[in-house]
Amino acid sequence: MKAIATANASDSDRILSLLFTYMPRIASERRMDGLLVLMADLGRSMVNADRCSLWLIDSEKNELWTKVAHGVNELRIPLDAGFAGYSVKHAESLLIDDAYKDDRFDRRSDELTHYHTSSVMTVPLMDGAGNVMGVYQAINKQGESGVFSKQDLNRLTLTAVYSAKTIESARLTEEVERSKDELEATQRELIHILGDASESRSSETGDHIQRVAEISYMLAKFYGLPQEDCEQIRLAAPMHDLGKIGIPDAILNKPGKLNDVEFAVMKSHTSVGQQLLGSSRRKLLRLAGMVAGSHHERWDGSGYPSGLKGEDIPLAGRICAVADVLDALACSRCYKAAWPEEKVREEFIKQRGVQFQPELVDQLILHWDEIFQVYRDMNA
């Protein structure tokens, strides 16, 4: 009796050790594939199985699939096939001593993997609504008996309850992430649509906003900003001239120099853009509003609309200002021809610390060939 009690205590310690080992790892795992691998490993260790798999239902294909059957890649079987299919269909656990003596056994998996199945346990995975979402399956008990016990079945059942909740939570997280990605993609598309709309009223090419976006991204990267910030600036930059939707065509497309009144109207596009975007609840759109409102400020404080100076000008606006002027000088406009490359370069050196932040001009000049290549390709 003492030996049995000692053995039981030792086995309980083993189970607790497994739980303490796997549960933190499962709780921190966010990828579905990673979760399935961990939970299959946990189930195999809990019941001393040679293999353990979590089969999940693919409703679209009417199949069960698993990526974590140990020693094999993804397997797919018909939804009603074999012991796993039976457990799914009947929401019933199975404890099988010899698979080849049971008519429900589907030998196709063995034939595919050149494996010999003997003892089998299956436990359905139930979601929060009581519907079967998959099945836990353990194959070939290790040890002298070679067959799974009712205690093994109880342990796998408890593991299945925990696993089902974890998978359900992971699926919900995936849905939230997909929705977030779709929302962000929609925002990005909307930004480019609005940016294109603002450019379409001008006689200039709509490619202007794309070039400004890419050059702003490169400058942000060369300046040393984190990748996420560089991406945000690239997405916000196309909105820098959104406020031009409120500028009359006669002013927007005037071929000659604007008079003082016309220039005052033109300058208002910065404030209009900032007002349109700045009150958004979306971080990206607020950044776009900041860029719209500050890309005509000057490092020496003589810009508009607020006369901001130096680092009081938002960094994204300072970056976009360089990209916007570079594109304006390097491309033909209704009021001017494109400047020669060397003249454009000399102008930025001249305006270092006057119109533009010195460090940004330094990065522009340092990486001039890479940045200006887009204009060489245009004129090739």
Side-chain angles (χ1 to χ4, degrees):
M1 292 294 291
K2 184 176 180 180
I4 294 175
T6 300
N8 288 339
S10 177
D11 192 48
S12 296
D13 289 343
R14 182 183 68 85
I15 297 299
L16 286 174
S17 177
L18 284 171
L19 293 174
F20 281 123
T21 298
Y22 276 95
M23 284 188 173
R25 295 170 62 191
I26 290 172
S28 62
E29 179 60 63
R30 293 294 178 265
R31 297 175 301 107
M32 179 63 75
D33 286 354
L35 282 172
L36 295 179
V37 170
L38 286 171
M39 290 185 290
D41 286 343
L42 173 59
R44 179 174 65 170
S45 299
M46 289 278 282
V47 299
N48 287 323
D50 180 50
R51 294 183 175 182
C52 190
S53 304
L54 267 82
W55 295 89
L56 296 178
I57 295 175
D58 184 337
S59 299
E60 292 185 0
K61 295 185 178 180
N62 206 35
E63 292 178 334
L64 287 170
W65 68 274
T66 182
K67 285 189 177 180
V68 294
H70 293 282
V72 299
N73 294 318
E74 177 178 298
L75 290 177
R76 284 183 172 270
I77 60 175
L79 188 58
D80 59 353
F83 298 130
Y86 183 91
S87 279
V88 167
K89 182 177 180 180
H90 298 279
E92 179 183 328
S93 297
L94 295 176
L95 194 60
I96 309 297
D97 290 348
D98 190 338
Y100 280 82
K101 292 182 180 180
D102 195 303
D103 293 338
R104 295 169 296 188
F105 179 50
D106 183 356
R107 304 185 183 192
R108 283 176 292 184
S109 292
D110 275 12
E111 292 170 356
L112 179 64
T113 60
H114 306 290
Y115 184 78
H116 183 81
T117 300
S118 53
S119 55
V120 178
M121 270 196 309
T122 60
V123 176
L125 275 70
M126 315 296 291
D127 64 20
N131 301 312
V132 180
M133 59 191 295
V135 61
Y136 234 130
Q137 180 170 261
I139 298 176
N140 289 357
K141 173 74 173 185
Q142 301 299 286
E144 292 183 7
S145 68
V147 296
F148 295 106
S149 66
K150 289 185 177 180
Q151 184 183 51
D152 291 326
L153 184 61
N154 289 336
R155 287 174 176 171
L156 193 62
T157 299
L158 290 173
T159 307
V161 171
Y162 173 69
S163 298
K165 296 296 183 184
T166 303
I167 291 172
E168 198 169 19
S169 176
R171 282 178 169 174
L172 179 60
T173 300
E174 284 184 343
E175 290 178 5
V176 170
E177 289 299 321
R178 278 197 301 270
S179 297
K180 180 181 177 183
D181 290 343
E182 288 175 4
L183 178 60
E184 289 181 352
T186 300
Q187 290 178 16
R188 294 174 185 180
E189 185 175 357
L190 177 60
I191 283 175
H192 280 279
I193 288 172
L194 290 174
D196 285 336
S198 68
E199 288 299 316
S200 69
R201 295 192 57 250
S202 170
S203 61
E204 316 306 340
T205 173
D207 290 340
H208 164 68
I209 65 168
Q210 303 296 337
R211 292 193 298 268
V212 170
E214 289 307 310
I215 292 168
S216 295
Y217 170 78
M218 286 190 283
L219 283 171
K221 182 177 67 173
F222 296 142
Y223 189 69
L225 295 185
Q227 180 63 28
E228 182 179 355
D229 292 349
C230 296
E231 291 288 351
Q232 292 293 297
I233 289 173
R234 171 156 57 185
L235 293 171
M239 301 290 280
H240 69 281
D241 276 340
L242 178 65
K244 285 184 177 179
I245 62 175
I247 305 300
D249 289 344
I251 295 176
L252 193 63
N253 294 316
K254 183 177 179 179
K257 184 177 180 181
L258 300 177
N259 61 40
D260 290 345
V261 174
E262 292 169 335
F263 187 52
V265 174
M266 178 65 83
K267 288 195 295 184
S268 69
H269 82 275
T270 55
S271 300
V272 171
Q274 186 166 20
Q275 290 167 7
L276 287 172
L277 299 166
S279 61
S280 173
R281 291 180 296 175
R282 304 297 178 190
K283 180 181 177 182
L284 180 56
L285 293 179
R286 291 198 304 273
L287 177 63
M290 185 183 299
V291 169
S294 63
H295 72 286
H296 281 292
E297 300 288 359
R298 294 171 58 102
W299 186 254
D300 64 2
S302 65
Y304 63 88
S306 302
L308 299 178
K309 183 177 181 179
E311 293 189 357
D312 289 338
I313 306 168
L315 178 56
R318 286 178 253 154
I319 290 172
C320 188
V322 174
D324 188 35
V325 172
L326 176 64
D327 198 74
L329 297 180
C331 297
S332 60
R333 295 291 177 93
C334 61
Y335 52 85
K336 58 169 279 296
W339 286 20
E341 178 178 342
E342 189 55 34
K343 184 179 178 182
V344 176
R345 189 174 183 275
E346 290 173 357
E347 181 65 15
F348 275 96
I349 295 173
K350 178 182 176 181
Q351 294 298 331
R352 181 185 184 275
V354 181
Q355 184 172 356
F356 307 113
Q357 180 181 353
E359 293 81 3
L360 289 174
V361 174
D362 291 344
Q363 292 304 317
L364 173 65
I365 301 304
L366 181 63
H367 299 279
W368 182 264
D369 284 340
E370 180 178 351
I371 293 174
F372 205 84
Q373 187 60 44
V374 63
Y375 301 106
R376 300 189 189 113
D377 292 341
M378 282 174 52
N379 299 320

